[in-house]
Amino acid sequence: MSTIVGDALPNIPWHDRPAGSSDVLWRYEHNPIIGWNPTARTARVFNSAVIPFGDGFAGVFRADHKNGRPKLHVGFSDDALAWRLEDEDIAWVDEAGGPAPTSYAYDPRVVKLDDAYYIIWCDDFPGPSIGLGRTTDFRRFVRLEHPLMPFNRNGVLFPRKIGEHYVLLSRPSDSGHTPFGDIVLSHSPDLTFWGKHRLVMRSGGEGWWEGVKIGAGPIPIETTEGWLLFYHGVSGPCNGFVYSIGAALLDRDNPTRVIYRTPNYLLTPEKPYETVGFVPNVTFPCATLQDAATGRIAIYYGAADTYTAVAFCQVDELLDHLRA
Ligand code: BMA
């Protein structure tokens, strides 16, 4: 039985766990779903966000252009696996309707909040900070005030107010590749003014796989037992960072309280599309689709800063795994 609080999603992409596997999170056998040079202008599409939209799905994709700069692109899909990506990046406007281009933009998340879709990403402030924007139709995209000051590279909104406040997870950083990082949480009454900052989880935990830094992944999933948060955990062997995927359960009314946290990663770079690419050894989750009727979850992650890949799990099995 599912413990997910939310809507049924009968058209969620799904493949059963492969025979012989006991993994809590298993990869889609046809990964990656987006490979090198997916459009004329773009070299690599990864660390991207998808969401149910209309009869199908929409997405906001991190696309590194052939000049090396990341931008955000829209895509649409009927099955959330085969994507029609636009070659032009999003033409942002400001709240007055004037052009508001990004100099770079990466690692988007998308969430439906109230009557609109909000996009949150790493933006140039100058220097990395959190950008926020809104759309209702995935055609017109409006940039809003930056929620946080530089430097911060990783913003994730909760899908509803908790009590009186919208809630944002982030990972304060430096302006470079940041050899540290914890997950903090901020509150806002209006999505403009943010405060009451609180520490949620620190890097380290019990494992070296998350010893350098951790950051929230997809929009947290509400369950009857708490908020299910997939996150990235980074270790620092001698030849660079390694990004793996873990999960935690946060208190439903007070998400600064961590109820469970995986001692071991759930997924780490193993497959060639995860270990070989523009940045080897990266699995970086940015979105999920979930079906409250069956408890199925599809997780979208960037692989090796090059590919888009999908993994699956069943919410009850994951909660049992976290409790163990
Ligand atoms: C992080 C972000 C991600 C990227 C990762 C590995 O700091 O920049 O976009 O996937 O590094 O390069």
Side-chain angles (χ1 to χ4, degrees), residues 46-47 62 106-107 153 171 213 243 279 282 284 305:
F46 56 100
N47 298 7
R62 168 185 177 157
Y106 60 83
D107 297 358
R153 296 172 169 279
R171 169 163 65 79
K213 53 183 168 178
Y243 283 69
V279 182
V282 181
F284 195 96
D305 285 10

Side-chain angles (χ1 to χ4, degrees), residues 189-209:
D190 55 8
L191 291 170
T192 300
F193 295 96
W194 292 89
K196 289 180 84 177
H197 309 292
R198 300 283 184 270
L199 178 67
V200 179
M201 277 165 63
R202 304 210 69 179
S203 61
E206 290 184 28
W208 284 8
W209 70 271

Side-chain angles (χ1 to χ4, degrees), residues 134-199:
R134 184 175 57 211
T135 186
T136 53
D137 55 7
F138 288 90
R139 288 285 159 218
R140 184 172 186 273
F141 287 85
V142 179
R143 290 182 74 171
L144 305 171
E145 293 286 342
H146 288 99
L148 302 171
M149 289 187 292
F151 301 116
N152 198 309
R153 296 172 169 279
N154 192 68
V156 178
L157 282 164
F158 279 75
R160 66 166 173 84
K161 278 184 170 175
I162 301 175
E164 299 291 295
H165 294 114
Y166 297 99
V167 181
L168 168 66
L169 298 170
S170 75
R171 169 163 65 79
S173 70
D174 62 17
S175 61
H177 291 295
T178 318
F180 61 87
D182 301 319
I183 299 176
V184 302
L185 180 155
S186 308
H187 296 88
S188 172
D190 55 8
L191 291 170
T192 300
F193 295 96
W194 292 89
K196 289 180 84 177
H197 309 292
R198 300 283 184 270
L199 178 67

